[in-house]
Amino acid sequence: MAPPKAKPGVLQITPYAGSEVGSGGADRIVISSNESAFGPSWRAMEAYSATSEEMHRYPEIDARSLRLALAEHHGLEVERIICGCGSDQLIDLIALAYAGPDDETVYSEHGFTMYPIATRGVGATPVAAPETDLTADVDAILDRVNARTKIVFIANPNNPTGSYLGNDALRRLHAGLPEDVLLVLDAAYAEYVVAPDYDPGIALVREASNVIMTRTFSKIYALASLRIGWAYGPPEIIEILDRVRPPFNVSTPAIAAGIAALDDTEHTARSRDLNAELLPWFVSEVEAMGLTVNPSVGNFVIIRFDPESDRHAEAAYQFLFERGIVTRRVAGYGLPDWVRMSIGTRAEMEDVVGALRAFVEGT
Ligand SMILES: *Cc1c(COP(=O)(O)O)cnc(C)c1O
């Protein structure tokens, strides 16, 4: 007898790869996972701690109080909101409920890797649409939609490229899709975007029957370890996702911290403003070294290193790592010559600029 064999789709999954953070203590500069360098609101930390005596109790079955807080904060309807153990879980649930063997999903070439992983996990086939200038290409995506297509995933802005589709392009994408194809707008970085033509998709969700927007507390709210995501969609789709959602999937401390974080609008605004100030400064410093930086509207950038020289991407990654700076290689995203760096604090980014300059100048 042969040992148990996993489903064919699962065997095709390339596991999600993060950066090794390594040891070396608190003085490491970790800019590998797009976490907020400015940390969570102290009110979120207090709310989290205050729940410690409830550990023996199950959390709310459906994160109702967090959903109510999200509805109030964003002016949305609570029955159109579902919470997940990270938005990654919501991506999984969407794939589980809407795609299966013989189905396809479409995502953009350098899109977030959870889309092909979730797709293969349910036995469906992920189809990558080529990008133009490291930006999702609406026509290329629409070209790959056919009778087997069940879902189109788009991260807006996209990780790792940092590029985004403006509202007009997003609406053109939606207008070109058959009504039975679900459009997933992953707006994990929405709160950082200051571009005037950007829209995370709330209006489109309201107008259409086939659009769902996902969001997260892992980025600007700086609650990555608590694993909280949420989605806003048509009530019929939320009801379907609720059938496959594990009960109690958001913990009590996560719910409490999430509500407090939403409430601390000053902290969120400060984090956004700091990023809006540090991102262009960092980009100009790096460009002054002769390196190419892809324009980004998020809290991270990708930087290109010349594969023909000995100062290629892997060399840059290693050089920085040895100096206590943890970045992310993005070869798994089809970008072998680029390294992704999140925007840390000013002091951290000054160190990163110094180290990068030393790398480029070979000192
Ligand atoms: C970080 C990120 C998420 C967030 O995932 P969580 O599971 O909520 O932590 C989702 N989508 C993209 C594109 C991301 O970069």
PDB file of all heavy atoms in Angstrom, residues 328-346:
ATOM      1  N   ARG A 328      13.133  41.525   1.641  1.00  0.00           N
ATOM      2  CA  ARG A 328      12.455  40.372   1.031  1.00  0.00           C
ATOM      3  C   ARG A 328      12.845  40.220  -0.437  1.00  0.00           C
ATOM      4  O   ARG A 328      12.698  41.154  -1.218  1.00  0.00           O
ATOM      5  CB  ARG A 328      10.938  40.548   1.134  1.00  0.00           C
ATOM      6  CG  ARG A 328      10.109  39.456   0.461  1.00  0.00           C
ATOM      7  CD  ARG A 328      10.135  38.145   1.194  1.00  0.00           C
ATOM      8  NE  ARG A 328       9.482  38.260   2.477  1.00  0.00           N
ATOM      9  CZ  ARG A 328       8.181  38.096   2.667  1.00  0.00           C
ATOM     10  NH1 ARG A 328       7.406  37.754   1.680  1.00  0.00           N
ATOM     11  NH2 ARG A 328       7.667  38.243   3.861  1.00  0.00           N
ATOM     12  N   ARG A 329      13.327  39.045  -0.795  1.00  0.00           N
ATOM     13  CA  ARG A 329      13.510  38.723  -2.203  1.00  0.00           C
ATOM     14  C   ARG A 329      12.140  38.416  -2.787  1.00  0.00           C
ATOM     15  O   ARG A 329      11.295  37.850  -2.108  1.00  0.00           O
ATOM     16  CB  ARG A 329      14.416  37.497  -2.372  1.00  0.00           C
ATOM     17  CG  ARG A 329      15.811  37.658  -1.835  1.00  0.00           C
ATOM     18  CD  ARG A 329      16.900  37.954  -2.875  1.00  0.00           C
ATOM     19  NE  ARG A 329      16.496  37.981  -4.260  1.00  0.00           N
ATOM     20  CZ  ARG A 329      16.957  37.176  -5.210  1.00  0.00           C
ATOM     21  NH1 ARG A 329      17.826  36.239  -4.923  1.00  0.00           N
ATOM     22  NH2 ARG A 329      16.559  37.312  -6.462  1.00  0.00           N
ATOM     23  N   VAL A 330      11.925  38.785  -4.026  1.00  0.00           N
ATOM     24  CA  VAL A 330      10.611  38.559  -4.621  1.00  0.00           C
ATOM     25  C   VAL A 330      10.699  37.731  -5.906  1.00  0.00           C
ATOM     26  O   VAL A 330       9.870  37.853  -6.804  1.00  0.00           O
ATOM     27  CB  VAL A 330       9.864  39.902  -4.855  1.00  0.00           C
ATOM     28  CG1 VAL A 330       9.325  40.443  -3.530  1.00  0.00           C
ATOM     29  CG2 VAL A 330      10.752  40.956  -5.513  1.00  0.00           C
ATOM     30  N   ALA A 331      11.735  36.861  -5.956  1.00  0.00           N
ATOM     31  CA  ALA A 331      11.891  35.982  -7.118  1.00  0.00           C
ATOM     32  C   ALA A 331      10.651  35.108  -7.305  1.00  0.00           C
ATOM     33  O   ALA A 331      10.223  34.833  -8.423  1.00  0.00           O
ATOM     34  CB  ALA A 331      13.148  35.122  -6.960  1.00  0.00           C
ATOM     35  N   GLY A 332      10.040  34.699  -6.186  1.00  0.00           N
ATOM     36  CA  GLY A 332       8.840  33.864  -6.241  1.00  0.00           C
ATOM     37  C   GLY A 332       7.657  34.565  -6.894  1.00  0.00           C
ATOM     38  O   GLY A 332       6.675  33.935  -7.264  1.00  0.00           O
ATOM     39  N   TYR A 333       7.740  35.872  -7.020  1.00  0.00           N
ATOM     40  CA  TYR A 333       6.702  36.654  -7.686  1.00  0.00           C
ATOM     41  C   TYR A 333       7.080  36.936  -9.141  1.00  0.00           C
ATOM     42  O   TYR A 333       6.514  37.817  -9.774  1.00  0.00           O
ATOM     43  CB  TYR A 333       6.509  37.995  -6.976  1.00  0.00           C
ATOM     44  CG  TYR A 333       5.795  37.912  -5.646  1.00  0.00           C
ATOM     45  CD1 TYR A 333       6.491  37.683  -4.469  1.00  0.00           C
ATOM     46  CD2 TYR A 333       4.415  38.085  -5.572  1.00  0.00           C
ATOM     47  CE1 TYR A 333       5.838  37.620  -3.246  1.00  0.00           C
ATOM     48  CE2 TYR A 333       3.750  38.033  -4.359  1.00  0.00           C
ATOM     49  CZ  TYR A 333       4.462  37.803  -3.202  1.00  0.00           C
ATOM     50  OH  TYR A 333       3.812  37.748  -1.998  1.00  0.00           O
ATOM     51  N   GLY A 334       8.099  36.234  -9.637  1.00  0.00           N
ATOM     52  CA  GLY A 334       8.549  36.484 -11.004  1.00  0.00           C
ATOM     53  C   GLY A 334       9.386  37.746 -11.119  1.00  0.00           C
ATOM     54  O   GLY A 334       9.489  38.346 -12.186  1.00  0.00           O
ATOM     55  N   LEU A 335       9.985  38.175  -9.999  1.00  0.00           N
ATOM     56  CA  LEU A 335      10.785  39.400 -10.005  1.00  0.00           C
ATOM     57  C   LEU A 335      12.172  39.117  -9.408  1.00  0.00           C
ATOM     58  O   LEU A 335      12.537  39.632  -8.354  1.00  0.00           O
ATOM     59  CB  LEU A 335      10.068  40.495  -9.194  1.00  0.00           C
ATOM     60  CG  LEU A 335       8.689  40.923  -9.723  1.00  0.00           C
ATOM     61  CD1 LEU A 335       7.925  41.729  -8.671  1.00  0.00           C
ATOM     62  CD2 LEU A 335       8.850  41.743 -11.006  1.00  0.00           C
ATOM     63  N   PRO A 336      12.975  38.275 -10.116  1.00  0.00           N
ATOM     64  CA  PRO A 336      14.244  37.827  -9.535  1.00  0.00           C
ATOM     65  C   PRO A 336      15.277  38.939  -9.351  1.00  0.00           C
ATOM     66  O   PRO A 336      16.203  38.781  -8.552  1.00  0.00           O
ATOM     67  CB  PRO A 336      14.752  36.788 -10.562  1.00  0.00           C
ATOM     68  CG  PRO A 336      14.047  37.125 -11.844  1.00  0.00           C
ATOM     69  CD  PRO A 336      12.712  37.684 -11.438  1.00  0.00           C
ATOM     70  N   ASP A 337      15.115  40.048 -10.067  1.00  0.00           N
ATOM     71  CA  ASP A 337      16.136  41.106  -9.975  1.00  0.00           C
ATOM     72  C   ASP A 337      15.763  42.220  -8.999  1.00  0.00           C
ATOM     73  O   ASP A 337      16.429  43.252  -8.941  1.00  0.00           O
ATOM     74  CB  ASP A 337      16.384  41.717 -11.359  1.00  0.00           C
ATOM     75  CG  ASP A 337      16.785  40.653 -12.365  1.00  0.00           C
ATOM     76  OD1 ASP A 337      17.417  39.663 -11.937  1.00  0.00           O
ATOM     77  OD2 ASP A 337      16.449  40.791 -13.557  1.00  0.00           O
ATOM     78  N   TRP A 338      14.681  42.013  -8.277  1.00  0.00           N
ATOM     79  CA  TRP A 338      14.188  43.065  -7.392  1.00  0.00           C
ATOM     80  C   TRP A 338      14.213  42.608  -5.939  1.00  0.00           C
ATOM     81  O   TRP A 338      14.123  41.420  -5.651  1.00  0.00           O
ATOM     82  CB  TRP A 338      12.757  43.453  -7.760  1.00  0.00           C
ATOM     83  CG  TRP A 338      12.572  43.950  -9.167  1.00  0.00           C
ATOM     84  CD1 TRP A 338      12.582  43.184 -10.305  1.00  0.00           C
ATOM     85  CD2 TRP A 338      12.366  45.295  -9.590  1.00  0.00           C
ATOM     86  NE1 TRP A 338      12.374  43.994 -11.407  1.00  0.00           N
ATOM     87  CE2 TRP A 338      12.238  45.290 -10.993  1.00  0.00           C
ATOM     88  CE3 TRP A 338      12.260  46.514  -8.905  1.00  0.00           C
ATOM     89  CZ2 TRP A 338      12.021  46.460 -11.732  1.00  0.00           C
ATOM     90  CZ3 TRP A 338      12.038  47.669  -9.645  1.00  0.00           C
ATOM     91  CH2 TRP A 338      11.929  47.643 -11.046  1.00  0.00           C
ATOM     92  N   VAL A 339      14.350  43.574  -5.033  1.00  0.00           N
ATOM     93  CA  VAL A 339      14.253  43.307  -3.596  1.00  0.00           C
ATOM     94  C   VAL A 339      13.188  44.244  -3.034  1.00  0.00           C
ATOM     95  O   VAL A 339      13.154  45.421  -3.391  1.00  0.00           O
ATOM     96  CB  VAL A 339      15.608  43.549  -2.886  1.00  0.00           C
ATOM     97  CG1 VAL A 339      15.467  43.382  -1.374  1.00  0.00           C
ATOM     98  CG2 VAL A 339      16.671  42.586  -3.425  1.00  0.00           C
ATOM     99  N   ARG A 340      12.312  43.702  -2.200  1.00  0.00           N
ATOM    100  CA  ARG A 340      11.253  44.529  -1.617  1.00  0.00           C
ATOM    101  C   ARG A 340      11.658  45.014  -0.223  1.00  0.00           C
ATOM    102  O   ARG A 340      12.217  44.231   0.565  1.00  0.00           O
ATOM    103  CB  ARG A 340       9.942  43.743  -1.520  1.00  0.00           C
ATOM    104  CG  ARG A 340       8.732  44.640  -1.208  1.00  0.00           C
ATOM    105  CD  ARG A 340       7.497  43.828  -0.919  1.00  0.00           C
ATOM    106  NE  ARG A 340       7.640  43.128   0.350  1.00  0.00           N
ATOM    107  CZ  ARG A 340       6.882  42.102   0.731  1.00  0.00           C
ATOM    108  NH1 ARG A 340       5.925  41.651  -0.056  1.00  0.00           N
ATOM    109  NH2 ARG A 340       7.087  41.524   1.890  1.00  0.00           N
ATOM    110  N   MET A 341      11.383  46.261   0.040  1.00  0.00           N
ATOM    111  CA  MET A 341      11.648  46.826   1.370  1.00  0.00           C
ATOM    112  C   MET A 341      10.433  47.607   1.834  1.00  0.00           C
ATOM    113  O   MET A 341       9.889  48.426   1.100  1.00  0.00           O
ATOM    114  CB  MET A 341      12.853  47.770   1.311  1.00  0.00           C
ATOM    115  CG  MET A 341      14.104  47.072   0.818  1.00  0.00           C
ATOM    116  SD  MET A 341      15.554  48.134   0.814  1.00  0.00           S
ATOM    117  CE  MET A 341      16.597  47.126  -0.274  1.00  0.00           C
ATOM    118  N   SER A 342      10.006  47.339   3.080  1.00  0.00           N
ATOM    119  CA  SER A 342       8.912  48.116   3.662  1.00  0.00           C
ATOM    120  C   SER A 342       9.492  49.432   4.185  1.00  0.00           C
ATOM    121  O   SER A 342      10.687  49.536   4.452  1.00  0.00           O
ATOM    122  CB  SER A 342       8.278  47.375   4.831  1.00  0.00           C
ATOM    123  OG  SER A 342       8.192  45.994   4.569  1.00  0.00           O
ATOM    124  N   ILE A 343       8.612  50.400   4.357  1.00  0.00           N
ATOM    125  CA  ILE A 343       9.043  51.673   4.930  1.00  0.00           C
ATOM    126  C   ILE A 343       9.037  51.550   6.453  1.00  0.00           C
ATOM    127  O   ILE A 343       7.986  51.347   7.066  1.00  0.00           O
ATOM    128  CB  ILE A 343       8.114  52.830   4.474  1.00  0.00           C
ATOM    129  CG1 ILE A 343       8.142  52.954   2.946  1.00  0.00           C
ATOM    130  CG2 ILE A 343       8.511  54.140   5.147  1.00  0.00           C
ATOM    131  CD1 ILE A 343       9.520  53.213   2.335  1.00  0.00           C
ATOM    132  N   GLY A 344      10.213  51.627   7.041  1.00  0.00           N
ATOM    133  CA  GLY A 344      10.345  51.573   8.497  1.00  0.00           C
ATOM    134  C   GLY A 344      10.301  52.973   9.083  1.00  0.00           C
ATOM    135  O   GLY A 344       9.833  53.919   8.444  1.00  0.00           O
ATOM    136  N   THR A 345      10.802  53.118  10.295  1.00  0.00           N
ATOM    137  CA  THR A 345      10.865  54.449  10.902  1.00  0.00           C
ATOM    138  C   THR A 345      11.950  55.270  10.194  1.00  0.00           C
ATOM    139  O   THR A 345      12.768  54.729   9.446  1.00  0.00           O
ATOM    140  CB  THR A 345      11.235  54.350  12.393  1.00  0.00           C
ATOM    141  OG1 THR A 345      12.539  53.753  12.470  1.00  0.00           O
ATOM    142  CG2 THR A 345      10.237  53.498  13.160  1.00  0.00           C
ATOM    143  N   ARG A 346      11.970  56.578  10.460  1.00  0.00           N
ATOM    144  CA  ARG A 346      12.983  57.425   9.820  1.00  0.00           C
ATOM    145  C   ARG A 346      14.395  56.950  10.175  1.00  0.00           C
ATOM    146  O   ARG A 346      15.251  56.823   9.297  1.00  0.00           O
ATOM    147  CB  ARG A 346      12.799  58.889  10.221  1.00  0.00           C
ATOM    148  CG  ARG A 346      13.871  59.792   9.613  1.00  0.00           C
ATOM    149  CD  ARG A 346      13.636  61.249   9.879  1.00  0.00           C
ATOM    150  NE  ARG A 346      12.531  61.798   9.096  1.00  0.00           N
ATOM    151  CZ  ARG A 346      12.625  62.170   7.812  1.00  0.00           C
ATOM    152  NH1 ARG A 346      13.774  62.037   7.166  1.00  0.00           N
ATOM    153  NH2 ARG A 346      11.593  62.663   7.172  1.00  0.00           N
TER     154      ARG A 346
END
